[in-house]
Amino acid sequence: MSETKTLLILPGDGIGPEVMSEVLRVIEWLARHRGVTFEVGQGLVGGASIDAQGTPLAEETMARAMAADAVLLGAVGGPKWEALPFEQKPERGLLRLRKEMALFANLRPAPVFDALVDASPLKPEIVRGLDIVIVRELTGGVYFGEPRGISDLPGGGRRGVNTQVYTTEEIVRIARVAFQLAAKRHRRLCSVEKSNVMESGVLWRQEVQALHDAEFADIELSHMYADNCAMQLIRDPRQFDVIVTDNLFGDMLSDEAAMLTGSLGMLPSASLGEADADGRRRALYEPVHGSAPDIAGRGVANPLASLLSFAMCLRWSFDLAAEADLIEAAVKGVLDGGMRTADIMQPGKARVSTRVMGESILRELDKLTA
Ligand code: NAD
Protein backbone atom coordinates (compact mmCIF):
# COMPACT_ATOMS: atom_id res chain seq x y z
CA MET A 1 0.00 0.00 0.00
CA SER A 2 1.31 3.42 -0.85
CA GLU A 3 0.05 5.13 2.28
CA THR A 4 -0.96 3.79 5.67
CA LYS A 5 -4.66 3.04 5.85
CA THR A 6 -6.58 3.67 9.04
CA LEU A 7 -9.02 1.25 10.66
CA LEU A 8 -11.19 2.30 13.59
CA ILE A 9 -12.44 -0.61 15.70
CA LEU A 10 -15.56 -0.08 17.82
CA PRO A 11 -16.17 -3.32 19.76
CA GLY A 12 -19.38 -2.04 21.44
CA ASP A 13 -21.38 -4.15 23.88
CA GLY A 14 -22.12 -7.73 24.92
CA ILE A 15 -20.17 -10.21 22.80
CA GLY A 16 -18.80 -7.35 20.63
CA PRO A 17 -15.49 -7.01 22.58
CA GLU A 18 -15.10 -10.83 22.78
CA VAL A 19 -15.40 -11.42 19.03
CA MET A 20 -13.39 -8.32 18.18
CA SER A 21 -10.36 -9.52 20.19
CA GLU A 22 -10.09 -12.46 17.82
CA VAL A 23 -10.12 -10.06 14.86
CA LEU A 24 -7.30 -8.11 16.51
CA ARG A 25 -5.23 -11.28 16.69
CA VAL A 26 -5.73 -11.87 12.98
CA ILE A 27 -4.66 -8.27 12.34
CA GLU A 28 -1.45 -8.96 14.29
CA TRP A 29 -0.95 -12.16 12.29
CA LEU A 30 -1.25 -10.22 9.02
CA ALA A 31 1.38 -7.74 10.18
CA ARG A 32 3.77 -10.48 11.29
CA HIS A 33 3.37 -12.90 8.41
CA ARG A 34 2.28 -10.81 5.43
CA GLY A 35 3.87 -7.44 6.19
CA VAL A 36 0.41 -5.91 5.93
CA THR A 37 -0.02 -3.07 8.37
CA PHE A 38 -2.53 -0.36 8.91
CA GLU A 39 -3.09 2.10 11.70
CA VAL A 40 -5.58 0.53 14.09
CA GLY A 41 -7.45 2.70 16.58
CA GLN A 42 -10.16 1.73 19.04
CA GLY A 43 -13.15 3.60 20.43
CA LEU A 44 -16.39 3.24 22.33
CA VAL A 45 -19.90 2.97 20.93
CA GLY A 46 -23.31 2.01 22.31
CA GLY A 47 -23.81 1.09 25.95
CA ALA A 48 -20.06 1.02 26.62
CA SER A 49 -19.89 4.65 25.50
CA ILE A 50 -22.97 5.60 27.54
CA ASP A 51 -21.37 4.14 30.68
CA ALA A 52 -18.00 5.84 30.11
CA GLN A 53 -18.99 9.15 28.51
CA GLY A 54 -22.76 9.57 28.93
CA THR A 55 -23.53 9.36 25.21
CA PRO A 56 -23.87 6.44 22.75
CA LEU A 57 -21.29 8.06 20.45
CA ALA A 58 -18.90 10.85 21.47
CA GLU A 59 -18.14 13.67 19.01
CA GLU A 60 -14.50 12.69 19.01
CA THR A 61 -15.33 9.10 18.02
CA MET A 62 -17.67 10.32 15.28
CA ALA A 63 -14.87 12.51 13.91
CA ARG A 64 -12.42 9.59 13.96
CA ALA A 65 -14.96 7.43 12.10
CA MET A 66 -15.35 10.11 9.42
CA ALA A 67 -11.59 10.30 8.96
CA ALA A 68 -10.92 6.54 8.98
CA ASP A 69 -10.56 4.47 5.82
CA ALA A 70 -12.84 1.91 7.43
CA VAL A 71 -14.75 1.28 10.65
CA LEU A 72 -15.20 -2.22 12.07
CA LEU A 73 -18.00 -2.52 14.61
CA GLY A 74 -18.89 -5.37 16.99
CA ALA A 75 -22.45 -4.91 18.23
CA VAL A 76 -24.42 -2.51 20.40
CA GLY A 77 -27.22 -2.81 22.93
CA GLY A 78 -28.32 -4.89 25.86
CA PRO A 79 -30.83 -5.09 28.72
CA LYS A 80 -28.82 -2.68 30.89
CA TRP A 81 -29.75 0.25 28.62
CA GLU A 82 -33.22 -0.82 27.48
CA ALA A 83 -35.13 1.56 29.75
CA LEU A 84 -33.35 4.66 28.39
CA PRO A 85 -35.34 7.09 26.23
CA PHE A 86 -35.11 6.31 22.50
CA GLU A 87 -32.70 9.19 21.76
CA GLN A 88 -30.20 7.98 24.37
CA LYS A 89 -30.21 4.26 23.59
CA PRO A 90 -27.03 2.42 22.48
CA GLU A 91 -28.53 1.86 18.99
CA ARG A 92 -28.49 5.64 18.41
CA GLY A 93 -24.70 5.46 18.25
CA LEU A 94 -24.83 3.03 15.34
CA LEU A 95 -27.63 4.90 13.57
CA ARG A 96 -25.65 8.14 13.83
CA LEU A 97 -22.57 6.49 12.33
CA ARG A 98 -24.63 5.16 9.41
CA LYS A 99 -26.32 8.51 8.83
CA GLU A 100 -23.32 10.86 9.10
CA MET A 101 -21.08 8.57 7.10
CA ALA A 102 -23.88 8.56 4.46
CA LEU A 103 -23.72 4.80 4.04
CA PHE A 104 -26.22 4.17 1.26
CA ALA A 105 -25.13 0.69 0.15
CA ASN A 106 -25.59 -2.29 2.43
CA LEU A 107 -23.92 -5.50 1.26
CA ARG A 108 -25.14 -8.69 2.90
CA PRO A 109 -23.49 -11.91 1.70
CA ALA A 110 -25.26 -15.16 2.56
CA PRO A 111 -22.73 -17.92 2.02
CA VAL A 112 -23.49 -21.52 2.91
CA PHE A 113 -20.29 -23.29 3.93
CA ASP A 114 -20.28 -26.97 2.94
CA ALA A 115 -19.53 -27.98 6.52
CA LEU A 116 -22.64 -26.13 7.76
CA VAL A 117 -25.07 -27.13 5.03
CA ASP A 118 -27.22 -29.03 7.56
CA ALA A 119 -27.74 -25.83 9.61
CA SER A 120 -29.99 -24.47 6.86
CA PRO A 121 -33.72 -24.99 7.31
CA LEU A 122 -33.80 -25.91 3.59
CA LYS A 123 -32.74 -29.23 2.11
CA PRO A 124 -28.99 -29.60 1.51
CA GLU A 125 -29.52 -30.15 -2.23
CA ILE A 126 -31.13 -26.69 -2.48
CA VAL A 127 -28.53 -24.68 -0.55
CA ARG A 128 -25.24 -26.55 -0.98
CA GLY A 129 -22.69 -24.15 -2.48
CA LEU A 130 -24.99 -21.13 -2.08
CA ASP A 131 -23.08 -17.87 -2.37
CA ILE A 132 -25.23 -14.79 -2.90
CA VAL A 133 -24.94 -11.14 -1.93
CA ILE A 134 -27.90 -8.82 -1.41
CA VAL A 135 -27.16 -5.16 -2.07
CA ARG A 136 -29.75 -3.06 -0.25
CA GLU A 137 -30.26 0.69 -0.69
CA LEU A 138 -30.00 2.03 2.84
CA THR A 139 -30.69 5.75 3.01
CA GLY A 140 -33.72 6.32 0.76
CA GLY A 141 -37.13 4.87 -0.01
CA VAL A 142 -40.17 4.50 2.18
CA TYR A 143 -38.30 4.63 5.52
CA PHE A 144 -37.27 8.23 4.82
CA GLY A 145 -39.71 9.55 2.18
CA GLU A 146 -41.89 12.62 2.80
CA PRO A 147 -44.73 13.18 3.50
CA ARG A 148 -44.94 10.85 6.45
CA GLY A 149 -46.85 10.79 9.70
CA ILE A 150 -50.13 10.01 11.39
CA SER A 151 -52.97 12.54 11.24
CA ASP A 152 -56.52 12.72 12.57
CA LEU A 153 -59.32 12.44 10.05
CA PRO A 154 -62.16 14.98 10.26
CA GLY A 155 -64.80 12.26 10.45
CA GLY A 156 -62.94 10.34 13.17
CA GLY A 157 -60.23 7.74 12.89
CA ARG A 158 -56.65 8.45 11.79
CA ARG A 159 -54.50 8.18 8.68
CA GLY A 160 -50.91 6.84 8.57
CA VAL A 161 -48.70 7.82 5.63
CA ASN A 162 -45.27 6.86 4.38
CA THR A 163 -43.90 7.69 0.96
CA GLN A 164 -41.84 5.45 -1.28
CA VAL A 165 -39.60 7.77 -3.29
CA TYR A 166 -36.42 7.26 -5.34
CA THR A 167 -34.53 9.60 -7.66
CA THR A 168 -32.36 8.70 -10.66
CA GLU A 169 -29.25 9.61 -8.67
CA GLU A 170 -30.13 7.33 -5.75
CA ILE A 171 -30.94 4.40 -8.04
CA VAL A 172 -27.86 4.81 -10.21
CA ARG A 173 -25.39 5.00 -7.33
CA ILE A 174 -26.67 1.83 -5.64
CA ALA A 175 -26.92 0.00 -8.97
CA ARG A 176 -23.33 0.98 -9.78
CA VAL A 177 -22.08 -0.59 -6.52
CA ALA A 178 -24.04 -3.76 -7.37
CA PHE A 179 -22.67 -3.96 -10.94
CA GLN A 180 -19.13 -3.43 -9.62
CA LEU A 181 -19.64 -6.20 -7.08
CA ALA A 182 -21.07 -8.55 -9.72
CA ALA A 183 -18.02 -7.82 -11.89
CA LYS A 184 -15.79 -9.16 -9.09
CA ARG A 185 -17.96 -12.27 -8.71
CA HIS A 186 -19.98 -14.37 -11.19
CA ARG A 187 -21.05 -11.39 -13.32
CA ARG A 188 -24.80 -11.78 -12.78
CA LEU A 189 -27.06 -9.12 -11.28
CA CYS A 190 -30.77 -9.40 -10.54
CA SER A 191 -32.57 -6.09 -9.90
CA VAL A 192 -35.65 -6.39 -7.71
CA GLU A 193 -38.65 -4.03 -7.39
CA LYS A 194 -42.40 -4.02 -7.95
CA SER A 195 -42.72 -2.14 -11.21
CA ASN A 196 -46.00 -3.96 -11.83
CA VAL A 197 -47.72 -1.84 -9.16
CA MET A 198 -45.35 1.03 -8.18
CA GLU A 199 -44.10 3.99 -10.24
CA SER A 200 -40.94 4.14 -8.14
CA GLY A 201 -40.39 0.54 -9.27
CA VAL A 202 -40.87 1.48 -12.92
CA LEU A 203 -38.23 4.19 -12.56
CA TRP A 204 -35.94 1.78 -10.67
CA ARG A 205 -36.12 -0.80 -13.48
CA GLN A 206 -35.56 1.82 -16.22
CA GLU A 207 -32.56 3.41 -14.51
CA VAL A 208 -30.87 0.11 -13.69
CA GLN A 209 -31.36 -1.07 -17.28
CA ALA A 210 -30.01 2.25 -18.67
CA LEU A 211 -26.89 2.07 -16.48
CA HIS A 212 -26.36 -1.53 -17.57
CA ASP A 213 -26.62 -0.63 -21.26
CA ALA A 214 -24.32 2.40 -20.90
CA GLU A 215 -21.58 1.04 -18.63
CA PHE A 216 -22.03 -2.61 -17.66
CA ALA A 217 -23.25 -4.39 -20.79
CA ASP A 218 -20.87 -7.28 -20.03
CA ILE A 219 -22.75 -8.10 -16.80
CA GLU A 220 -25.81 -10.34 -17.17
CA LEU A 221 -28.77 -8.29 -15.87
CA SER A 222 -32.22 -9.62 -15.02
CA HIS A 223 -35.25 -7.99 -13.37
CA MET A 224 -37.61 -9.59 -10.90
CA TYR A 225 -40.65 -8.54 -8.85
CA ALA A 226 -39.92 -8.54 -5.12
CA ASP A 227 -42.67 -11.02 -4.23
CA ASN A 228 -41.36 -13.48 -6.82
CA CYS A 229 -37.81 -12.95 -5.50
CA ALA A 230 -39.01 -13.90 -1.99
CA MET A 231 -40.32 -17.18 -3.46
CA GLN A 232 -37.30 -17.85 -5.69
CA LEU A 233 -34.93 -17.43 -2.71
CA ILE A 234 -36.63 -20.46 -1.13
CA ARG A 235 -37.30 -22.45 -4.32
CA ASP A 236 -33.91 -22.13 -6.00
CA PRO A 237 -31.58 -19.63 -4.26
CA ARG A 238 -28.53 -20.67 -6.27
CA GLN A 239 -29.96 -19.02 -9.40
CA PHE A 240 -28.75 -15.70 -7.90
CA ASP A 241 -25.29 -14.15 -7.76
CA VAL A 242 -25.88 -10.50 -6.73
CA ILE A 243 -29.32 -9.02 -6.00
CA VAL A 244 -29.85 -5.25 -5.86
CA THR A 245 -32.97 -3.80 -4.35
CA ASP A 246 -34.45 -0.88 -2.43
CA ASN A 247 -34.48 -0.22 1.30
CA LEU A 248 -37.80 -1.88 2.16
CA PHE A 249 -37.52 -4.99 -0.02
CA GLY A 250 -33.84 -5.29 0.88
CA ASP A 251 -34.66 -5.23 4.58
CA MET A 252 -36.85 -8.30 4.17
CA LEU A 253 -35.03 -10.19 1.45
CA SER A 254 -31.65 -9.91 3.20
CA ASP A 255 -33.12 -11.41 6.39
CA GLU A 256 -34.72 -14.16 4.32
CA ALA A 257 -31.38 -14.87 2.63
CA ALA A 258 -29.66 -14.90 6.04
CA MET A 259 -32.04 -17.62 7.21
CA LEU A 260 -31.03 -19.79 4.24
CA THR A 261 -27.63 -20.16 5.87
CA GLY A 262 -29.14 -21.01 9.26
CA SER A 263 -26.26 -19.52 11.23
CA LEU A 264 -26.44 -15.95 12.47
CA GLY A 265 -22.94 -16.16 13.98
CA MET A 266 -21.48 -16.59 10.47
CA LEU A 267 -22.92 -13.60 8.61
CA PRO A 268 -20.87 -10.49 7.79
CA SER A 269 -22.01 -7.17 6.30
CA ALA A 270 -20.61 -3.99 4.79
CA SER A 271 -22.17 -0.55 4.46
CA LEU A 272 -20.55 1.78 1.95
CA GLY A 273 -20.77 5.50 1.22
CA GLU A 274 -20.18 7.53 -1.92
CA ALA A 275 -16.75 7.27 -3.58
CA ASP A 276 -14.74 10.51 -3.51
CA ALA A 277 -12.51 11.78 -6.34
CA ASP A 278 -9.78 9.30 -5.33
CA GLY A 279 -12.23 6.39 -5.27
CA ARG A 280 -12.14 6.25 -1.47
CA ARG A 281 -15.42 5.37 0.20
CA ARG A 282 -16.48 5.72 3.83
CA ALA A 283 -17.24 2.21 5.02
CA LEU A 284 -18.57 0.39 8.06
CA TYR A 285 -18.19 -3.36 8.49
CA GLU A 286 -20.11 -5.34 11.09
CA PRO A 287 -21.47 -8.79 11.78
CA VAL A 288 -25.21 -9.15 11.16
CA HIS A 289 -25.81 -10.47 14.69
CA GLY A 290 -26.43 -8.30 17.76
CA SER A 291 -24.74 -8.14 21.15
CA ALA A 292 -26.19 -11.53 22.27
CA PRO A 293 -26.61 -10.56 25.95
CA ASP A 294 -27.73 -14.13 26.75
CA ILE A 295 -24.20 -15.46 26.17
CA ALA A 296 -22.08 -12.31 26.71
CA GLY A 297 -19.06 -12.71 29.01
CA ARG A 298 -19.04 -16.49 28.75
CA GLY A 299 -16.41 -16.77 26.03
CA VAL A 300 -18.62 -18.92 23.79
CA ALA A 301 -19.61 -16.45 21.05
CA ASN A 302 -18.82 -17.26 17.44
CA PRO A 303 -16.19 -14.79 16.16
CA LEU A 304 -16.46 -15.86 12.50
CA ALA A 305 -19.07 -13.28 11.40
CA SER A 306 -16.75 -10.52 12.66
CA LEU A 307 -13.75 -12.12 10.99
CA LEU A 308 -15.64 -12.40 7.70
CA SER A 309 -16.67 -8.73 8.07
CA PHE A 310 -13.00 -7.88 8.46
CA ALA A 311 -12.27 -9.89 5.29
CA MET A 312 -14.86 -7.75 3.47
CA CYS A 313 -13.05 -4.68 4.81
CA LEU A 314 -9.74 -5.92 3.40
CA ARG A 315 -11.38 -6.53 0.01
CA TRP A 316 -13.43 -3.33 -0.30
CA SER A 317 -11.55 -0.67 1.65
CA PHE A 318 -7.92 -1.80 1.60
CA ASP A 319 -7.75 -3.50 -1.80
CA LEU A 320 -6.20 -6.60 -0.19
CA ALA A 321 -8.10 -9.31 -2.03
CA ALA A 322 -5.42 -11.97 -1.47
CA GLU A 323 -5.54 -11.46 2.31
CA ALA A 324 -9.37 -11.45 2.25
CA ASP A 325 -9.30 -14.75 0.31
CA LEU A 326 -6.87 -16.14 2.88
CA ILE A 327 -9.15 -15.34 5.83
CA GLU A 328 -12.18 -16.80 4.05
CA ALA A 329 -10.18 -19.94 3.24
CA ALA A 330 -9.09 -20.20 6.90
CA VAL A 331 -12.73 -20.01 8.04
CA LYS A 332 -13.64 -22.77 5.60
CA GLY A 333 -10.64 -24.87 6.67
CA VAL A 334 -11.46 -24.59 10.38
CA LEU A 335 -15.09 -25.58 9.76
CA ASP A 336 -14.04 -28.50 7.54
CA GLY A 337 -11.70 -29.55 10.37
CA GLY A 338 -14.71 -29.93 12.68
CA MET A 339 -14.32 -26.91 14.99
CA ARG A 340 -17.66 -25.47 16.12
CA THR A 341 -18.72 -22.77 18.56
CA ALA A 342 -21.92 -23.62 20.45
CA ASP A 343 -24.24 -21.80 18.02
CA ILE A 344 -23.17 -23.99 15.07
CA MET A 345 -22.50 -27.19 17.05
CA GLN A 346 -23.29 -30.48 15.31
CA PRO A 347 -23.06 -34.09 16.53
CA GLY A 348 -19.55 -35.51 16.36
CA LYS A 349 -17.85 -32.10 16.08
CA ALA A 350 -15.57 -30.34 18.57
CA ARG A 351 -17.29 -27.63 20.62
CA VAL A 352 -14.81 -24.80 21.18
CA SER A 353 -14.73 -21.41 22.87
CA THR A 354 -14.40 -18.03 21.14
CA ARG A 355 -10.70 -18.01 21.97
CA VAL A 356 -10.00 -21.51 20.67
CA MET A 357 -11.90 -20.74 17.48
CA GLY A 358 -9.67 -17.67 17.05
CA GLU A 359 -6.55 -19.74 17.70
CA SER A 360 -7.69 -22.36 15.19
CA ILE A 361 -8.03 -19.63 12.58
CA LEU A 362 -4.45 -18.48 13.25
CA ARG A 363 -3.18 -22.07 12.95
CA GLU A 364 -5.11 -22.49 9.69
CA LEU A 365 -3.61 -19.24 8.37
CA ASP A 366 -0.13 -20.60 9.24
CA LYS A 367 -0.97 -23.81 7.38
CA LEU A 368 -2.34 -22.03 4.32
CA THR A 369 0.78 -19.88 3.97
CA ALA A 370 3.40 -22.51 4.94
P1 NAD B 1 -28.73 -11.15 18.74
O1 NAD B 1 -28.24 -11.27 17.35
O2 NAD B 1 -27.88 -10.42 19.68
O3 NAD B 1 -28.98 -12.62 19.32
C1 NAD B 1 -29.94 -13.55 18.80
C2 NAD B 1 -29.55 -14.99 19.23
O4 NAD B 1 -28.41 -15.41 18.47
C3 NAD B 1 -29.14 -15.09 20.69
O5 NAD B 1 -29.59 -16.32 21.22
C4 NAD B 1 -27.63 -15.05 20.66
O6 NAD B 1 -27.01 -15.73 21.73
C5 NAD B 1 -27.32 -15.73 19.32
N1 NAD B 1 -26.10 -15.17 18.72
C6 NAD B 1 -25.98 -13.98 18.07
N2 NAD B 1 -24.72 -13.79 17.67
C7 NAD B 1 -24.02 -14.87 18.05
C8 NAD B 1 -22.66 -15.25 17.92
N3 NAD B 1 -21.75 -14.48 17.30
N4 NAD B 1 -22.27 -16.43 18.46
C9 NAD B 1 -23.17 -17.23 19.07
N5 NAD B 1 -24.47 -16.93 19.21
C10 NAD B 1 -24.88 -15.75 18.71
O7 NAD B 1 -30.19 -10.50 18.66
P2 NAD B 1 -31.19 -10.05 19.85
O8 NAD B 1 -31.11 -11.04 20.97
O9 NAD B 1 -32.46 -9.79 19.18
O10 NAD B 1 -30.62 -8.66 20.36
C11 NAD B 1 -29.74 -8.50 21.48
C12 NAD B 1 -29.28 -7.05 21.57
O11 NAD B 1 -28.49 -6.75 20.41
C13 NAD B 1 -30.40 -6.04 21.59
O12 NAD B 1 -30.04 -5.00 22.47
C14 NAD B 1 -30.47 -5.54 20.16
O13 NAD B 1 -30.98 -4.23 20.09
C15 NAD B 1 -29.02 -5.58 19.77
N6 NAD B 1 -28.77 -5.70 18.32
C16 NAD B 1 -27.73 -4.99 17.84
C17 NAD B 1 -27.40 -5.11 16.50
C18 NAD B 1 -26.19 -4.34 16.02
O14 NAD B 1 -25.38 -3.90 16.83
N7 NAD B 1 -26.03 -4.18 14.72
C19 NAD B 1 -28.12 -5.94 15.65
C20 NAD B 1 -29.18 -6.70 16.19
C21 NAD B 1 -29.49 -6.57 17.55
Side-chain angles (χ1 to χ4, degrees), residues 136-149 160-167 170 198 200-201 204 245-252:
R136 166 188 170 192
E137 202 288 329
L138 206 56
T139 54
V142 72
Y143 295 161
F144 298 95
E146 298 283 347
R148 63 186 297 159
V161 176
N162 290 93
T163 303
Q164 166 81 337
V165 52
Y166 273 106
T167 62
E170 287 173 308
M198 297 168 76
S200 57
W204 183 283
T245 189
D246 75 9
N247 203 343
L248 174 66
F249 299 138
D251 194 358
M252 293 166 199

Side-chain angles (χ1 to χ4, degrees), residues 68-90:
D69 288 300
V71 178
L72 185 62
L73 187 132
V76 295
K80 184 175 175 191
W81 306 281
E82 245 154 42
L84 288 173
F86 187 66
E87 279 307 311
Q88 294 165 29
K89 276 188 191 292

Side-chain angles (χ1 to χ4, degrees), residues 18 29 42 79 82 114 123 137 144 146 171-172 178 194-195 229 235 248 262 274 288 291 293 295 313 330 360 362 364:
E18 297 169 43
W29 185 94
Q42 286 203 50
E82 245 154 42
D114 276 354
K123 294 186 193 115
E137 202 288 329
F144 298 95
E146 298 283 347
I171 298 166
V172 167
K194 277 192 65 80
S195 56
C229 183
R235 196 185 71 81
L248 174 66
E274 197 87 69
V288 167
S291 58
I295 58 164
C313 169
S360 311
L362 298 180
E364 191 68 23

Side-chain angles (χ1 to χ4, degrees), residues 15 19 73-79 82 91 94 98 264-265 286-295 300-303 305 341 343:
I15 61 169
V19 292
L73 187 132
V76 295
E82 245 154 42
E91 288 75 7
L94 178 53
R98 288 182 182 151
L264 191 55
E286 54 181 326
V288 167
H289 63 71
S291 58
D294 52 334
I295 58 164
V300 298
N302 185 346
T341 41
D343 57 311

Side-chain angles (χ1 to χ4, degrees), residues 165-212:
V165 52
Y166 273 106
T167 62
T168 296
E169 189 205 340
E170 287 173 308
I171 298 166
V172 167
R173 70 179 183 174
I174 188 75
R176 178 169 279 118
V177 169
F179 278 120
Q180 287 168 345
L181 177 63
K184 289 188 184 186
R185 293 171 44 94
H186 304 291
R187 311 188 74 77
R188 284 185 291 121
L189 178 66
C190 179
S191 170
V192 170
E193 28 61 12
K194 277 192 65 80
S195 56
N196 50 342
V197 284
M198 297 168 76
E199 283 77 6
S200 57
V202 173
L203 182 73
W204 183 283
R205 185 177 285 222
Q206 290 171 353
E207 297 295 358
V208 173
Q209 185 66 50
L211 180 66
H212 169 268

